[in-house]
Amino acid sequence: MTTGIESKDVLKVAKLAKLQLTEEEVKRLVDELSQIVGYVDQLSSVDTTNVAPLDHVLDVTDALRDDIVISSLPRESALSNAPKEDGETFLVPPVLG
Amino acid sequence: MSSVDYQLVVGLEVHVQLKTLTKLFCGCSTTFGAAPNTQTCPVCLGHPGTLPVLNREAIRLAIRTGLALNSTIPPTTKWDRKNYFYPDLPKGYQISQFDQPICQGGELKLPGDETSSPRTIRITRAHLEEDAGKSMHDESSGSADSRIDLNRTGTPLLEIVSEPDIRSAEEAKQYLTELKLLLTYLQVSDCNMQEGSLRVDANVNLHLQRGDELVATPIVEIKNLNSFRAVERALVYEAQRQREVFEDTGQRIGEAPKQTRGWDDNLQVTKVQREKEESSDYRYFPDPDLVPIMLPESWVTELKSDLGALPAALRERLKTEFGLSQYDADVIVNQGPDMVAYFEAVASNLKDAKRASNWIQQDVMRTLNDMEYSLADFSIKADDLAKLLQLIEAGELDNSRGRDVYQWLLDHPGTPEEGMKALGIASVGSDDLLDLCKQLIGEHPSAVSDFKAGKKQALGAMIGAARKLNPNANPGKVKDLLSQLISHED
Ligand SMILES: [Zn+2]
């Protein structure tokens, strides 16, 4: 089954996901994504005219909490996983304008 | 070109930080101004394996706002992920609402003023989402890095989107002013632009008549509008710019991608920012971590009954119940609910509500302004001002002596009567007043004959003299008595 996924589609998605792919990987992903999209297309062939859309698989709603402050992390812990920090803030390559 | 041959068309997106104690999906505090990165937790830092849990208060405030804007509150609402990368967005996506916003449709009525008639601006929707963190880049520090503070990350925002119904920069300002006032009355947000609790983006284009054809220019989104004045100026600038670009390129809507421009407040220009990603590129999809929210009608009804008096209704009340002009009603309502309550408490004790309105606008508001007080800190309570104005109304005091007592009340604890006593203001008995006027008539023969000759203003000199003889004599009463006595002299 052909789904029309081409390497340019894979490259576009990769760019949005900030992924760098080799030519090999692009090829492999064209095949894999084609299979996945093909599977979804198969699902689309079912007539769902009278079926309400499913937004969530759990039969649960309203998991709400009250507006009560709980203590936050000590700053050292918050920053501890950062590749670069200055004791107060996370440091990242320059963000302009 | 000189003449304006285009119609400005504007839609506004207003991001309002809701006044919750905690963030939208975690219990971190939302207090402004804390030291960087002291209000974060694994949830708002976007650590793997954490689960967001929704803050009920954010839902309540959003519904309250929607009801005040006449929006439809749907029976259920849900959460979607908006995917993009930015250093101040640790998860790599923002939890937002795509196709089932909590408030659908609506309107905001602009009251109009001396130069503009009332108008209704339609609201498209209002949805909840989480705020991003703050990135700071100090070029002068010489550091190559930007610094990221994630305290704000996850603070609840309500994004209120208007239809493109706004037709001028002035009207955009009116819309924002009225919306801010409404949000203040609703107590859903601090609306502090300096602290970023109210942020505005504008979608702008022009409609031009070309022969029989109405032509639209490409839509530009203006960001970084940090004050209502910036919004006004950016719109005026952008209208001119788009008009000139259209002359050069002839490009119409759809012939150029939607552009994002930022307002530069120093240079007073808009500058192009990165091309906005197409909205489908955000790859919205339902957030699997969050279940849909039911908004039962009973809850919505309860919130509706709890809205309280809102600006539009209060203006009407001040006009119909107290006989104020549109202008006076506006000034008082714009001061907020406390001032309206203060006015009503004073005015309902007076024969003439206009007197309360004048004193509040000329004296109370000036004092509050000068001393940078809020009404809650103000020492002259409504009862005291009412009593003072009653004394003036009864002729015990004139306006000028009334202001002395007002000043005394500002400086001392006590009642207006105690103020009068302390200032040596005694009401002058009618015998004393009669003696005073007779003395004046004897001492000012030329003024008396001028008055008899029809020069009404001749009494002015005598009233001035009365003040010197007895500062407590009410000038109004002196004037009435003088004219009576002189007219009956012959
Ligand atoms: Zn948190």
Side-chain angles (χ1 to χ4, degrees):
Chain A
M1 179 180 216
T2 147
T3 58
I5 294 282
E6 299 172 32
S7 56
K8 72 170 169 50
D9 302 315
V10 170
L11 288 170
K12 184 186 172 194
V13 175
K15 190 180 166 200
L16 288 169
K18 299 251 198 264
L19 293 175
Q20 261 184 341
L21 302 177
T22 63
E23 235 169 278
E24 299 289 281
E25 286 170 325
V26 173
K27 227 182 201 169
R28 183 162 59 84
L29 283 165
V30 168
D31 285 346
E32 288 180 1
L33 275 181
S34 296
Q35 281 181 33
I36 293 166
V37 174
Y39 175 64
V40 174
D41 280 349
Q42 202 182 338
L43 292 179
S44 300
S45 66
V46 179
D47 180 7
T48 56
T49 319
N50 294 315
V51 182
L54 179 72
D55 295 316
H56 204 279
V57 292
L58 297 180
D59 194 16
V60 175
T61 54
D62 298 352
L64 295 163
R65 97 189 135 76
D66 290 331
D67 189 25
I68 296 166
V69 176
I70 56 161
S71 45
S72 293
L73 284 177
R75 182 154 66 191
E76 310 84 77
S77 313
L79 297 173
S80 63
N81 285 324
K84 204 173 176 189
E85 39 94 4
D86 63 5
E88 288 187 340
T89 60
F90 299 89
L91 296 179
V92 298
V95 184
L96 301 172
Chain B
M1 70 249 117
S2 53
S3 70
V4 172
D5 61 349
Y6 55 76
Q7 176 63 62
L8 182 66
V9 179
V10 179
L12 293 176
E13 293 171 8
V14 180
H15 294 81
V16 181
Q17 259 181 13
L18 296 180
K19 209 155 110 178
T20 54
L21 297 173
T22 68
K23 295 184 180 181
L24 189 51
F25 296 113
C26 64
C28 288
S29 167
T30 55
T31 306
F32 180 83
N37 295 305
T38 55
Q39 290 171 177
T40 69
C41 73
V43 173
C44 58
L45 290 172
H47 286 192
T50 57
L51 269 184
V53 186
L54 179 61
N55 185 343
R56 177 182 286 115
E57 180 67 359
I59 297 285
R60 189 183 77 85
L61 298 179
I63 296 176
R64 206 170 145 73
T65 309
L67 290 171
L69 291 168
N70 248 329
S71 301
T72 303
I73 309 299
T76 61
T77 187
K78 75 182 234 290
W79 302 97
D80 302 277
R81 290 186 182 180
K82 181 182 181 179
N83 300 279
Y84 66 95
F85 289 106
Y86 211 69
D88 60 15
L89 186 76
K91 291 196 299 295
Y93 61 85
Q94 177 190 35
I95 304 176
S96 180
Q97 301 196 291
F98 183 56
D99 58 344
Q100 293 181 33
I102 189 163
C103 309
Q104 301 171 356
E107 62 186 21
L108 182 67
K109 291 197 164 84
L110 309 185
D113 55 27
E114 307 87 59
T115 54
S116 60
S117 38
R119 274 205 68 200
T120 299
I121 306 298
R122 291 170 300 158
I123 304 291
T124 314
R125 59 184 276 165
H127 64 262
L128 275 166
E129 59 187 28
E130 38 175 16
D131 207 344
K134 267 184 206 163
S135 60
M136 300 159 277
H137 194 76
D138 182 6
E139 274 157 38
S140 64
S141 76
S143 160
D145 292 320
S146 289
R147 308 173 76 221
I148 307 290
D149 172 10
L150 297 180
N151 280 349
R152 198 178 68 181
T153 308
T155 298
L157 291 180
L158 187 68
E159 177 174 338
I160 303 169
V161 183
S162 88
E163 290 287 307
D165 284 352
I166 295 164
R167 291 289 174 269
S168 68
E170 170 61 24
E171 197 165 272
K173 191 180 154 205
Q174 287 173 1
Y175 171 85
L176 292 170
T177 307
E178 186 67 8
L179 182 60
K180 183 179 168 186
L181 188 68
L182 182 66
L183 297 170
T184 308
Y185 270 82
L186 289 169
Q187 295 178 295
V188 297
S189 172
D190 292 328
C191 293
N192 186 330
M193 291 195 88
Q194 278 84 43
E195 295 181 0
S197 56
L198 199 145
R199 306 198 289 274
V200 184
D201 298 336
N203 285 292
V204 190
N205 75 341
L206 305 180
H207 288 175
L208 301 110
Q209 195 69 42
R210 280 293 173 273
D212 292 342
E213 207 186 353
L214 191 67
V215 180
T217 60
I219 296 174
V220 168
E221 179 170 7
I222 312 177
K223 292 193 174 284
N224 200 24
L225 297 165
N226 293 326
S227 67
F228 290 178
R229 173 175 287 198
V231 173
E232 256 190 306
R233 290 183 174 172
L235 290 176
V236 169
Y237 173 86
E238 188 60 20
Q240 277 292 329
R241 194 195 64 82
Q242 288 191 21
R243 177 75 177 75
E244 281 162 28
V245 170
F246 181 78
E247 284 307 310
D248 289 349
T249 65
Q251 259 179 352
R252 303 179 178 194
I253 191 166
E255 294 174 357
K258 182 171 165 179
Q259 204 184 55
T260 304
R261 300 179 71 88
W263 173 246
D264 185 323
D265 215 29
N266 294 320
L267 299 177
Q268 300 276 304
V269 296
T270 63
K271 286 175 171 171
V272 71
Q273 291 187 331
R274 69 181 157 82
E275 294 296 315
K276 195 179 168 81
E277 292 173 275
E278 284 305 306
S279 101
S280 60
D281 275 356
Y282 286 125
R283 294 152 295 149
Y284 281 100
F285 65 89
D287 192 319
D289 285 347
L290 287 157
V291 295
I293 307 300
M294 313 291 282
L295 309 170
E297 220 179 296
S298 55
W299 192 23
V300 175
T301 310
E302 186 194 322
L303 288 174
K304 192 164 200 168
S305 66
D306 195 32
L307 278 182
L310 298 177
L314 285 173
R315 283 190 196 100
E316 274 317 296
R317 191 156 98 198
L318 296 195
K319 287 197 289 185
T320 53
E321 283 183 26
F322 293 95
L324 294 195
S325 67
Q326 168 81 27
Y327 176 86
D328 289 338
D330 251 5
V331 172
I332 289 171
V333 170
N334 287 351
Q335 296 295 309
D338 290 351
M339 187 60 90
V340 174
Y342 188 88
F343 165 79
E344 291 189 334
V346 176
S348 52
N349 283 303
L350 298 178
K351 292 192 196 82
D352 183 9
K354 176 81 184 153
R355 190 186 300 277
S357 163
N358 288 345
W359 272 76
I360 284 174
Q361 288 183 52
Q362 285 161 28
D363 300 272
V364 177
M365 279 168 54
R366 187 194 298 147
T367 307
L368 295 179
N369 219 7
D370 289 351
M371 306 182 103
E372 293 179 7
Y373 273 174
S374 74
L375 205 46
D377 309 322
F378 186 54
S379 61
I380 305 183
K381 300 299 168 203
D383 284 352
D384 293 333
L385 186 64
K387 184 71 218 171
L388 172 59
L389 300 191
Q390 280 172 343
L391 291 170
I392 294 174
E393 209 163 51
E396 302 286 316
L397 276 169
D398 63 65
N399 265 321
S400 139
R401 292 302 263 161
R403 290 215 154 75
D404 295 340
V405 176
Y406 175 87
Q407 188 59 47
W408 185 90
L409 287 170
L410 280 181
D411 302 333
H412 305 81
T415 64
E417 291 92 337
E418 286 163 348
M420 283 178 70
K421 208 173 278 171
L423 293 168
I425 304 172
S427 75
V428 179
S430 49
D431 287 347
D432 291 340
L433 204 63
L434 190 60
D435 290 344
L436 177 69
C437 289
K438 283 180 175 161
Q439 182 185 348
L440 287 167
I441 289 169
E443 287 172 1
H444 296 80
S446 63
V448 171
S449 54
D450 282 353
F451 182 77
K452 282 183 179 164
K455 270 193 184 171
K456 300 283 181 218
Q457 67 271 31
L459 287 187
M462 298 167 78
I463 295 166
R467 181 174 291 274
K468 282 188 193 118
L469 290 170
N470 183 347
N472 293 324
N474 182 316
K477 285 186 177 174
V478 171
K479 186 179 167 200
D480 289 345
L481 191 53
L482 279 175
S483 38
Q484 261 182 43
L485 290 173
I486 297 172
S487 314
H488 289 96
E489 259 193 354
D490 300 319

PDB file of all heavy atoms in Angstrom, chain B residues 325-350:
ATOM      1  N   SER B 325     -23.738  62.137  34.524  1.00  0.00           N
ATOM      2  CA  SER B 325     -23.528  62.128  33.074  1.00  0.00           C
ATOM      3  C   SER B 325     -22.713  60.888  32.711  1.00  0.00           C
ATOM      4  O   SER B 325     -22.088  60.262  33.579  1.00  0.00           O
ATOM      5  CB  SER B 325     -22.759  63.376  32.658  1.00  0.00           C
ATOM      6  OG  SER B 325     -21.439  63.317  33.183  1.00  0.00           O
ATOM      7  N   GLN B 326     -22.708  60.545  31.424  1.00  0.00           N
ATOM      8  CA  GLN B 326     -21.894  59.422  30.943  1.00  0.00           C
ATOM      9  C   GLN B 326     -20.434  59.623  31.361  1.00  0.00           C
ATOM     10  O   GLN B 326     -19.768  58.708  31.829  1.00  0.00           O
ATOM     11  CB  GLN B 326     -21.995  59.328  29.416  1.00  0.00           C
ATOM     12  CG  GLN B 326     -20.988  58.401  28.746  1.00  0.00           C
ATOM     13  CD  GLN B 326     -21.401  56.942  28.796  1.00  0.00           C
ATOM     14  OE1 GLN B 326     -22.590  56.636  28.864  1.00  0.00           O
ATOM     15  NE2 GLN B 326     -20.436  56.041  28.783  1.00  0.00           N
ATOM     16  N   TYR B 327     -19.965  60.877  31.201  1.00  0.00           N
ATOM     17  CA  TYR B 327     -18.563  61.178  31.515  1.00  0.00           C
ATOM     18  C   TYR B 327     -18.263  60.923  32.992  1.00  0.00           C
ATOM     19  O   TYR B 327     -17.306  60.225  33.333  1.00  0.00           O
ATOM     20  CB  TYR B 327     -18.232  62.626  31.146  1.00  0.00           C
ATOM     21  CG  TYR B 327     -16.828  63.023  31.547  1.00  0.00           C
ATOM     22  CD1 TYR B 327     -15.753  62.763  30.693  1.00  0.00           C
ATOM     23  CD2 TYR B 327     -16.564  63.617  32.780  1.00  0.00           C
ATOM     24  CE1 TYR B 327     -14.464  63.100  31.052  1.00  0.00           C
ATOM     25  CE2 TYR B 327     -15.271  63.948  33.153  1.00  0.00           C
ATOM     26  CZ  TYR B 327     -14.220  63.695  32.291  1.00  0.00           C
ATOM     27  OH  TYR B 327     -12.944  64.006  32.666  1.00  0.00           O
ATOM     28  N   ASP B 328     -19.088  61.477  33.873  1.00  0.00           N
ATOM     29  CA  ASP B 328     -18.850  61.315  35.312  1.00  0.00           C
ATOM     30  C   ASP B 328     -18.952  59.842  35.728  1.00  0.00           C
ATOM     31  O   ASP B 328     -18.156  59.361  36.540  1.00  0.00           O
ATOM     32  CB  ASP B 328     -19.840  62.155  36.120  1.00  0.00           C
ATOM     33  CG  ASP B 328     -19.538  63.645  36.005  1.00  0.00           C
ATOM     34  OD1 ASP B 328     -18.383  63.983  35.688  1.00  0.00           O
ATOM     35  OD2 ASP B 328     -20.456  64.466  36.218  1.00  0.00           O
ATOM     36  N   ALA B 329     -19.950  59.151  35.166  1.00  0.00           N
ATOM     37  CA  ALA B 329     -20.115  57.724  35.480  1.00  0.00           C
ATOM     38  C   ALA B 329     -18.867  56.954  35.062  1.00  0.00           C
ATOM     39  O   ALA B 329     -18.362  56.110  35.805  1.00  0.00           O
ATOM     40  CB  ALA B 329     -21.352  57.162  34.779  1.00  0.00           C
ATOM     41  N   ASP B 330     -18.349  57.290  33.878  1.00  0.00           N
ATOM     42  CA  ASP B 330     -17.139  56.656  33.364  1.00  0.00           C
ATOM     43  C   ASP B 330     -15.953  56.846  34.305  1.00  0.00           C
ATOM     44  O   ASP B 330     -15.251  55.896  34.628  1.00  0.00           O
ATOM     45  CB  ASP B 330     -16.754  57.330  32.042  1.00  0.00           C
ATOM     46  CG  ASP B 330     -16.986  56.412  30.864  1.00  0.00           C
ATOM     47  OD1 ASP B 330     -17.522  55.306  31.072  1.00  0.00           O
ATOM     48  OD2 ASP B 330     -16.633  56.817  29.750  1.00  0.00           O
ATOM     49  N   VAL B 331     -15.744  58.104  34.708  1.00  0.00           N
ATOM     50  CA  VAL B 331     -14.579  58.420  35.541  1.00  0.00           C
ATOM     51  C   VAL B 331     -14.625  57.604  36.830  1.00  0.00           C
ATOM     52  O   VAL B 331     -13.630  57.015  37.242  1.00  0.00           O
ATOM     53  CB  VAL B 331     -14.524  59.928  35.867  1.00  0.00           C
ATOM     54  CG1 VAL B 331     -13.429  60.218  36.889  1.00  0.00           C
ATOM     55  CG2 VAL B 331     -14.276  60.738  34.599  1.00  0.00           C
ATOM     56  N   ILE B 332     -15.802  57.543  37.453  1.00  0.00           N
ATOM     57  CA  ILE B 332     -15.904  56.839  38.725  1.00  0.00           C
ATOM     58  C   ILE B 332     -15.780  55.325  38.544  1.00  0.00           C
ATOM     59  O   ILE B 332     -15.031  54.663  39.267  1.00  0.00           O
ATOM     60  CB  ILE B 332     -17.208  57.239  39.451  1.00  0.00           C
ATOM     61  CG1 ILE B 332     -17.049  58.689  39.930  1.00  0.00           C
ATOM     62  CG2 ILE B 332     -17.506  56.305  40.625  1.00  0.00           C
ATOM     63  CD1 ILE B 332     -18.286  59.316  40.481  1.00  0.00           C
ATOM     64  N   VAL B 333     -16.466  54.778  37.541  1.00  0.00           N
ATOM     65  CA  VAL B 333     -16.397  53.329  37.306  1.00  0.00           C
ATOM     66  C   VAL B 333     -14.973  52.919  36.942  1.00  0.00           C
ATOM     67  O   VAL B 333     -14.492  51.870  37.368  1.00  0.00           O
ATOM     68  CB  VAL B 333     -17.409  52.904  36.221  1.00  0.00           C
ATOM     69  CG1 VAL B 333     -17.183  51.466  35.801  1.00  0.00           C
ATOM     70  CG2 VAL B 333     -18.827  53.086  36.738  1.00  0.00           C
ATOM     71  N   ASN B 334     -14.266  53.769  36.186  1.00  0.00           N
ATOM     72  CA  ASN B 334     -12.899  53.434  35.786  1.00  0.00           C
ATOM     73  C   ASN B 334     -11.936  53.359  36.960  1.00  0.00           C
ATOM     74  O   ASN B 334     -10.855  52.801  36.847  1.00  0.00           O
ATOM     75  CB  ASN B 334     -12.359  54.460  34.777  1.00  0.00           C
ATOM     76  CG  ASN B 334     -12.998  54.280  33.416  1.00  0.00           C
ATOM     77  OD1 ASN B 334     -13.709  53.296  33.191  1.00  0.00           O
ATOM     78  ND2 ASN B 334     -12.783  55.218  32.522  1.00  0.00           N
ATOM     79  N   GLN B 335     -12.337  53.950  38.115  1.00  0.00           N
ATOM     80  CA  GLN B 335     -11.491  53.880  39.297  1.00  0.00           C
ATOM     81  C   GLN B 335     -11.591  52.529  39.996  1.00  0.00           C
ATOM     82  O   GLN B 335     -10.824  52.259  40.916  1.00  0.00           O
ATOM     83  CB  GLN B 335     -11.882  54.974  40.301  1.00  0.00           C
ATOM     84  CG  GLN B 335     -11.667  56.388  39.787  1.00  0.00           C
ATOM     85  CD  GLN B 335     -10.195  56.694  39.544  1.00  0.00           C
ATOM     86  OE1 GLN B 335      -9.365  56.484  40.410  1.00  0.00           O
ATOM     87  NE2 GLN B 335      -9.889  57.139  38.340  1.00  0.00           N
ATOM     88  N   GLY B 336     -12.568  51.711  39.582  1.00  0.00           N
ATOM     89  CA  GLY B 336     -12.666  50.387  40.181  1.00  0.00           C
ATOM     90  C   GLY B 336     -13.822  50.267  41.156  1.00  0.00           C
ATOM     91  O   GLY B 336     -14.428  51.264  41.549  1.00  0.00           O
ATOM     92  N   PRO B 337     -14.121  49.023  41.547  1.00  0.00           N
ATOM     93  CA  PRO B 337     -15.291  48.736  42.376  1.00  0.00           C
ATOM     94  C   PRO B 337     -15.278  49.461  43.727  1.00  0.00           C
ATOM     95  O   PRO B 337     -16.337  49.863  44.219  1.00  0.00           O
ATOM     96  CB  PRO B 337     -15.241  47.223  42.587  1.00  0.00           C
ATOM     97  CG  PRO B 337     -14.052  46.716  41.894  1.00  0.00           C
ATOM     98  CD  PRO B 337     -13.376  47.817  41.167  1.00  0.00           C
ATOM     99  N   ASP B 338     -14.094  49.651  44.317  1.00  0.00           N
ATOM    100  CA  ASP B 338     -14.036  50.318  45.618  1.00  0.00           C
ATOM    101  C   ASP B 338     -14.533  51.755  45.505  1.00  0.00           C
ATOM    102  O   ASP B 338     -15.244  52.253  46.378  1.00  0.00           O
ATOM    103  CB  ASP B 338     -12.603  50.332  46.158  1.00  0.00           C
ATOM    104  CG  ASP B 338     -12.146  48.944  46.577  1.00  0.00           C
ATOM    105  OD1 ASP B 338     -13.002  48.029  46.595  1.00  0.00           O
ATOM    106  OD2 ASP B 338     -10.951  48.775  46.864  1.00  0.00           O
ATOM    107  N   MET B 339     -14.138  52.433  44.426  1.00  0.00           N
ATOM    108  CA  MET B 339     -14.541  53.819  44.244  1.00  0.00           C
ATOM    109  C   MET B 339     -16.041  53.919  43.982  1.00  0.00           C
ATOM    110  O   MET B 339     -16.705  54.842  44.467  1.00  0.00           O
ATOM    111  CB  MET B 339     -13.750  54.456  43.099  1.00  0.00           C
ATOM    112  CG  MET B 339     -13.981  55.937  42.951  1.00  0.00           C
ATOM    113  SD  MET B 339     -13.508  56.854  44.447  1.00  0.00           S
ATOM    114  CE  MET B 339     -11.790  57.225  44.079  1.00  0.00           C
ATOM    115  N   VAL B 340     -16.580  52.968  43.236  1.00  0.00           N
ATOM    116  CA  VAL B 340     -18.019  52.977  42.976  1.00  0.00           C
ATOM    117  C   VAL B 340     -18.768  52.834  44.304  1.00  0.00           C
ATOM    118  O   VAL B 340     -19.716  53.575  44.587  1.00  0.00           O
ATOM    119  CB  VAL B 340     -18.423  51.849  41.996  1.00  0.00           C
ATOM    120  CG1 VAL B 340     -19.932  51.779  41.862  1.00  0.00           C
ATOM    121  CG2 VAL B 340     -17.773  52.076  40.634  1.00  0.00           C
ATOM    122  N   ALA B 341     -18.293  51.913  45.147  1.00  0.00           N
ATOM    123  CA  ALA B 341     -18.939  51.712  46.450  1.00  0.00           C
ATOM    124  C   ALA B 341     -18.830  52.979  47.300  1.00  0.00           C
ATOM    125  O   ALA B 341     -19.791  53.385  47.960  1.00  0.00           O
ATOM    126  CB  ALA B 341     -18.285  50.536  47.172  1.00  0.00           C
ATOM    127  N   TYR B 342     -17.668  53.623  47.256  1.00  0.00           N
ATOM    128  CA  TYR B 342     -17.426  54.856  48.010  1.00  0.00           C
ATOM    129  C   TYR B 342     -18.386  55.941  47.536  1.00  0.00           C
ATOM    130  O   TYR B 342     -19.063  56.593  48.337  1.00  0.00           O
ATOM    131  CB  TYR B 342     -15.975  55.289  47.805  1.00  0.00           C
ATOM    132  CG  TYR B 342     -15.513  56.444  48.675  1.00  0.00           C
ATOM    133  CD1 TYR B 342     -14.983  56.206  49.937  1.00  0.00           C
ATOM    134  CD2 TYR B 342     -15.581  57.746  48.220  1.00  0.00           C
ATOM    135  CE1 TYR B 342     -14.538  57.255  50.731  1.00  0.00           C
ATOM    136  CE2 TYR B 342     -15.143  58.808  49.004  1.00  0.00           C
ATOM    137  CZ  TYR B 342     -14.620  58.556  50.256  1.00  0.00           C
ATOM    138  OH  TYR B 342     -14.180  59.593  51.035  1.00  0.00           O
ATOM    139  N   PHE B 343     -18.450  56.095  46.206  1.00  0.00           N
ATOM    140  CA  PHE B 343     -19.355  57.112  45.644  1.00  0.00           C
ATOM    141  C   PHE B 343     -20.792  56.850  46.086  1.00  0.00           C
ATOM    142  O   PHE B 343     -21.498  57.759  46.538  1.00  0.00           O
ATOM    143  CB  PHE B 343     -19.283  57.126  44.110  1.00  0.00           C
ATOM    144  CG  PHE B 343     -20.421  57.883  43.484  1.00  0.00           C
ATOM    145  CD1 PHE B 343     -20.414  59.269  43.439  1.00  0.00           C
ATOM    146  CD2 PHE B 343     -21.537  57.213  42.979  1.00  0.00           C
ATOM    147  CE1 PHE B 343     -21.480  59.975  42.907  1.00  0.00           C
ATOM    148  CE2 PHE B 343     -22.608  57.911  42.440  1.00  0.00           C
ATOM    149  CZ  PHE B 343     -22.579  59.296  42.410  1.00  0.00           C
ATOM    150  N   GLU B 344     -21.230  55.603  45.951  1.00  0.00           N
ATOM    151  CA  GLU B 344     -22.627  55.293  46.271  1.00  0.00           C
ATOM    152  C   GLU B 344     -22.924  55.554  47.742  1.00  0.00           C
ATOM    153  O   GLU B 344     -23.996  56.056  48.089  1.00  0.00           O
ATOM    154  CB  GLU B 344     -22.960  53.852  45.880  1.00  0.00           C
ATOM    155  CG  GLU B 344     -22.967  53.684  44.365  1.00  0.00           C
ATOM    156  CD  GLU B 344     -23.491  52.327  43.889  1.00  0.00           C
ATOM    157  OE1 GLU B 344     -23.392  51.340  44.649  1.00  0.00           O
ATOM    158  OE2 GLU B 344     -23.986  52.270  42.747  1.00  0.00           O
ATOM    159  N   ALA B 345     -21.936  55.243  48.595  1.00  0.00           N
ATOM    160  CA  ALA B 345     -22.140  55.470  50.030  1.00  0.00           C
ATOM    161  C   ALA B 345     -22.267  56.966  50.335  1.00  0.00           C
ATOM    162  O   ALA B 345     -23.082  57.364  51.164  1.00  0.00           O
ATOM    163  CB  ALA B 345     -20.981  54.866  50.822  1.00  0.00           C
ATOM    164  N   VAL B 346     -21.483  57.785  49.642  1.00  0.00           N
ATOM    165  CA  VAL B 346     -21.560  59.231  49.872  1.00  0.00           C
ATOM    166  C   VAL B 346     -22.829  59.800  49.239  1.00  0.00           C
ATOM    167  O   VAL B 346     -23.615  60.508  49.891  1.00  0.00           O
ATOM    168  CB  VAL B 346     -20.317  59.951  49.291  1.00  0.00           C
ATOM    169  CG1 VAL B 346     -20.442  61.464  49.455  1.00  0.00           C
ATOM    170  CG2 VAL B 346     -19.044  59.451  49.973  1.00  0.00           C
ATOM    171  N   ALA B 347     -23.050  59.460  47.968  1.00  0.00           N
ATOM    172  CA  ALA B 347     -24.131  60.092  47.195  1.00  0.00           C
ATOM    173  C   ALA B 347     -25.502  59.753  47.758  1.00  0.00           C
ATOM    174  O   ALA B 347     -26.420  60.581  47.723  1.00  0.00           O
ATOM    175  CB  ALA B 347     -24.041  59.670  45.737  1.00  0.00           C
ATOM    176  N   SER B 348     -25.651  58.542  48.311  1.00  0.00           N
ATOM    177  CA  SER B 348     -26.983  58.159  48.771  1.00  0.00           C
ATOM    178  C   SER B 348     -27.380  58.947  50.033  1.00  0.00           C
ATOM    179  O   SER B 348     -28.534  58.905  50.452  1.00  0.00           O
ATOM    180  CB  SER B 348     -27.053  56.646  49.015  1.00  0.00           C
ATOM    181  OG  SER B 348     -25.998  56.258  49.840  1.00  0.00           O
ATOM    182  N   ASN B 349     -26.439  59.691  50.631  1.00  0.00           N
ATOM    183  CA  ASN B 349     -26.755  60.528  51.785  1.00  0.00           C
ATOM    184  C   ASN B 349     -26.986  61.995  51.423  1.00  0.00           C
ATOM    185  O   ASN B 349     -27.139  62.834  52.303  1.00  0.00           O
ATOM    186  CB  ASN B 349     -25.616  60.464  52.806  1.00  0.00           C
ATOM    187  CG  ASN B 349     -25.659  59.174  53.592  1.00  0.00           C
ATOM    188  OD1 ASN B 349     -26.670  58.872  54.214  1.00  0.00           O
ATOM    189  ND2 ASN B 349     -24.595  58.405  53.523  1.00  0.00           N
ATOM    190  N   LEU B 350     -26.935  62.271  50.126  1.00  0.00           N
ATOM    191  CA  LEU B 350     -27.036  63.668  49.697  1.00  0.00           C
ATOM    192  C   LEU B 350     -28.267  63.880  48.827  1.00  0.00           C
ATOM    193  O   LEU B 350     -28.773  62.940  48.209  1.00  0.00           O
ATOM    194  CB  LEU B 350     -25.788  64.057  48.888  1.00  0.00           C
ATOM    195  CG  LEU B 350     -24.459  63.996  49.637  1.00  0.00           C
ATOM    196  CD1 LEU B 350     -23.325  64.349  48.700  1.00  0.00           C
ATOM    197  CD2 LEU B 350     -24.469  64.926  50.829  1.00  0.00           C
TER     198      LEU B 350
END
